[in-house]
Amino acid sequence: MTAEPLLVVEKLEVVYQRAITAIQGVSLKVYPNQIVALLGTNGAGKTTTLRAISGFLGLDDARVTEGTVTYRGIHLENREPYEVTRHGLSLVPERDKVFPNLTVAENLAVVPGRRGRSNRRMLEQVYHFFPGLKDLRRREAGLLSGGERQMLAVAAGLMCDPEMLLIDELSLGLSPVAVQSLTASLVAIRNELKISILLVEQSAVVALEIADMGYVLENGRVVLDGDAQRLLNHSDVQEFYLGHTGGDRRSYRDVKQYRRNRRWYG
Amino acid sequence: MQFAVNILVLASIYALIASGYVLIYRVSRVLNLAHGELMMFGAYLLVTTAAGLSSSPVVAILLALAMSLMVGGLVYLFLMRRMTGEMALAAVLTTVALGILLRGLILMFWSASPQHPRDTLGWENPVLMLPGDARISLFAALLVASTILVYAGLFAFLRFSRWGMRMRAAGQNPLLAAQRGINLHAVFALAWALSTFTGAIAGMLIALDSGLDSTMVMIGLKAFPAALVGGLDSLLGALIGALIIAAAEVGVIKYVDPLLADVIPFAVLVVMLVIRPWGLFGTREELDRV
């Protein structure tokens, strides 16, 4: 990769309520026009990392205590969410991602434009990637199915005219069909709009299938990173995220502990 | 028939004022307990512009209206803005302090003696005859018409305009609104400006109809039960709540005792709070905050 990275997270440490360290020394890079997957189990620190980037931390009484988040060279640690959005990063949160009492069209219309692009043009673009939303535009967002809601959330994130989309748990609670259609849309968005996507996922298959790069988090640290294809074939990922077993299998915990020790100390 | 007209006029007054409570509460979950004072402040602004521009009354009124729009915005920018993100209680107490401050200012600048801006402007207030032998004063009729216009305008604004939608969005989920790049401060300032504006319309028309002194605050306070009975975050609720409160008040004045007039809105309020604390059309999840 010859280009400069868009987003650089360097040795990030986040502390909740001044006492609980959620992530420790997480570093990652996202290059232009790249889809990057951030993987890990519950509580690994994926969402915290994403929130630290998007400025949502202050609301949970958490702070970035060490490390840096820079986007195009601009420091983003402990900023307000709307400032981050204005710089071109747009977050699709895990929960409460749409305004339930507003219609689909209204959900998209409330987003102010960036870089002077007209709302109408952005709307055409969004309906191009999510044609299904056009038929639903008069429906209240609270009445949408999970898949439709996720579609609307990504679409609304796109209305912010971002250079990078941050998506928290794309596939959580959705049917395989819905997930497939969403990932296809994400790839199309990346290819046509040339924007980068940082994808937080529990499902390694979903994420690594479309990602260029991947990072695996465990207990607030990055334990594995690299090319998505390489990760997909990596024995640890195979074993713990894809459920492929090979050879004599011990209990999940033992293996995990053993492998981690081997990686860190050996 | 006269009975119905009296209810209609009083309901219009309450509804017009209650819309201001609803606008601010709906967007920022703050009860603006200075609304009565802000409304009165608008009326006093008219007293001043009327004195300066008695030859062109319409300009005087438009100027006073524009000033009250600004006053609302400025109150947010210089005072309430610092309260965003703080406890709702702190914000509500700030509005109480603001109300007391405004009352003091009004006494200082305009004295406590009754003012009659209509006389200053040289306007009459003829009594109009309605079918069924009912009477209504010209400015009371204008009040009813203004209420209808203001409500139609507010409904259309919230439904169709982009800033109206943003106000609804911010009311539902301020966090998500901020994340989508919506400037919450602009939305809140707009809510305060509009709220003070509609309050000022009510204050000015009441002053033009029957003069004003510092007891006008009481009218503002009595509109508060109307907003609460209807449900604090619903404009339609405010309209219906105003009708209920006005009907109860006019009914008691006619059939029981006129001295009870000021008590009735709050009696209805207490009954409502016991039966249905979130109001007729309010959102139930607000329960823990009421």
Side-chain angles (χ1 to χ4, degrees):
Chain A
M1 194 73 57
T2 48
E4 287 284 299
L6 261 185
L7 177 77
V8 182
V9 175
E10 197 89 53
K11 295 185 180 138
L12 193 68
E13 181 179 288
V14 174
V15 175
Y16 279 86
Q17 292 154 18
R18 295 188 191 144
I20 307 153
T21 306
I23 56 174
Q24 238 176 344
V26 168
S27 298
L28 58 90
K29 282 181 185 154
V30 181
Y31 288 89
N33 203 17
Q34 211 181 32
I35 298 181
V36 174
L38 196 54
L39 306 167
T41 51
N42 276 334
K46 308 184 300 284
T47 297
T48 302
T49 307
L50 208 56
R51 289 186 152 221
I53 297 168
S54 62
F56 264 66
L57 277 182
L59 306 146
D60 295 335
D61 195 16
R63 284 195 74 76
V64 174
T65 45
E66 248 173 76
T68 55
V69 179
T70 47
Y71 180 74
R72 290 182 175 281
I74 305 162
H75 280 267
L76 291 182
E77 309 92 43
N78 301 320
R79 292 267 188 129
E80 299 269 344
Y82 73 93
E83 286 182 272
V84 176
T85 308
R86 210 177 293 157
H87 279 115
L89 287 118
S90 175
L91 173 76
V92 178
E94 182 187 341
R95 277 166 299 163
D96 298 329
K97 54 188 103 185
V98 296
F99 300 109
N101 294 352
L102 267 59
T103 64
V104 167
E106 287 171 341
N107 259 283
L108 297 173
V110 295
V111 180
R114 215 169 63 85
R115 301 188 285 198
R117 298 213 182 145
S118 79
N119 206 281
R120 164 174 297 203
R121 213 181 110 194
M122 296 305 297
L123 202 61
E124 267 170 31
Q125 198 173 67
V126 161
Y127 285 150
H128 161 68
F129 289 113
F130 301 100
L133 287 180
K134 200 165 185 175
D135 306 324
L136 294 167
R137 63 187 184 277
R138 288 178 208 290
R139 176 104 37 108
E140 272 189 29
L143 302 174
L144 296 179
S145 72
E148 291 163 347
R149 199 177 297 206
Q150 186 65 286
M151 236 192 273
L152 176 58
V154 176
L158 215 52
M159 284 295 286
C160 300
D161 196 6
E163 290 165 340
M164 182 181 295
L165 271 176
L166 310 167
I167 302 178
D168 199 357
E169 301 289 9
L170 180 79
S171 70
L172 196 70
L174 301 183
S175 72
V177 182
V179 172
Q180 196 140 52
S181 127
L182 274 164
T183 49
S185 303
L186 287 188
V187 171
I189 287 168
R190 190 270 304 265
N191 290 346
E192 291 177 40
L193 300 181
K194 308 287 175 216
I195 63 179
S196 318
I197 299 172
L198 181 58
L199 189 60
V200 160
E201 263 290 338
Q202 295 215 23
S203 160
V205 194
V206 167
L208 291 177
E209 220 160 59
I210 61 166
D212 306 298
M213 283 277 296
Y215 292 85
V216 180
L217 285 179
E218 245 178 59
N219 296 327
R221 296 168 198 269
V222 175
V223 291
L224 262 181
D225 62 38
D227 187 72
Q229 211 52 48
R230 195 179 73 87
L231 282 184
L232 205 50
N233 296 324
H234 194 282
S235 58
D236 275 14
V237 176
Q238 290 249 329
E239 195 158 348
F240 300 126
Y241 294 99
L242 306 181
H244 298 174
T245 49
D248 60 325
R249 176 162 187 143
R250 280 159 289 190
S251 88
Y252 178 83
R253 248 188 112 101
D254 292 344
V255 177
K256 202 164 156 181
Q257 198 60 44
Y258 163 69
R259 290 207 193 266
R260 201 182 294 143
N261 290 347
R262 190 186 62 182
R263 199 157 44 235
W264 286 349
Y265 308 118
Chain B
M1 192 59 199
Q2 185 65 49
F3 183 65
V5 170
N6 289 350
I7 292 179
L8 186 66
V9 171
L10 193 61
S12 299
I13 292 174
Y14 288 160
L16 200 48
I17 303 169
S19 71
Y21 286 110
V22 171
L23 274 172
I24 290 179
Y25 185 81
R26 181 164 175 163
V27 173
S28 61
R29 296 287 176 263
V30 170
L31 272 179
N32 174 18
L33 292 178
H35 192 54
E37 282 83 357
L38 282 166
M39 162 186 100
M40 186 163 72
F41 194 72
Y44 274 103
L45 284 176
L46 178 64
V47 169
T48 299
T49 58
L53 294 156
S54 56
S55 53
S56 40
V58 178
V59 178
I61 290 178
L62 289 180
L63 188 64
L65 281 176
M67 282 161 80
S68 41
L69 201 63
M70 270 172 51
V71 167
L74 292 176
V75 164
Y76 177 75
L77 286 180
F78 286 103
L79 192 66
M80 300 313 292
R81 193 162 101 122
R82 300 177 203 292
M83 294 292 134
T84 26
E86 299 290 327
M87 281 186 306
L89 183 64
V92 175
L93 289 177
T94 308
T95 68
V96 173
L98 172 69
I100 294 167
L101 214 83
L102 278 173
R103 248 181 282 172
L105 270 179
I106 285 168
L107 276 181
M108 250 172 68
F109 281 109
W110 288 283
S111 84
S113 53
Q115 307 274 355
H116 296 281
R118 177 161 46 83
D119 297 342
T120 323
L121 292 171
W123 275 346
E124 298 291 316
N125 191 14
V127 173
L128 312 174
M129 298 300 292
L130 296 174
D133 211 23
R135 295 145 187 272
I136 185 169
S137 69
L138 174 67
F139 280 98
L142 278 175
L143 230 161
V144 177
S146 305
T147 303
I148 295 170
L149 275 177
V150 163
Y151 268 81
L154 283 179
F155 276 123
F157 173 73
L158 288 173
R159 186 90 188 81
F160 300 115
S161 83
R162 190 154 291 154
W163 277 101
M165 290 178 204
R166 282 183 193 148
M167 282 173 76
R168 280 155 60 208
Q172 274 177 42
N173 188 344
L175 211 74
L176 185 60
Q179 188 270 317
R180 294 273 154 83
I182 296 174
N183 186 341
L184 282 184
H185 291 308
V187 169
F188 291 157
L190 183 66
W192 275 85
L194 279 178
S195 161
T196 310
F197 178 72
T198 55
I201 294 177
M204 287 177 200
L205 284 168
I206 297 168
L208 287 169
D209 188 37
S210 50
L212 89 151
D213 56 31
S214 56
T215 56
M216 188 187 257
V217 171
M218 192 62 200
I219 305 177
L221 209 56
K222 280 160 73 181
F224 178 58
L228 245 164
V229 164
L232 262 175
D233 57 354
S234 159
L235 273 181
L236 180 69
L239 211 52
I240 309 237
L243 261 175
I244 293 172
I245 299 279
E249 188 173 337
V250 173
V252 166
I253 290 174
K254 181 166 172 159
Y255 296 110
V256 188
D257 188 345
L259 283 177
L260 290 175
D262 284 352
V263 182
I264 290 306
F266 297 95
V268 177
L269 174 66
V270 168
V271 173
M272 194 66 198
L273 284 177
V274 170
I275 309 173
R276 211 179 141 88
W278 56 94
L280 289 172
F281 294 87
T283 316
R284 192 171 179 168
E285 64 195 8
E286 306 308 333
L287 193 57
D288 55 331
R289 297 203 193 95
V290 171

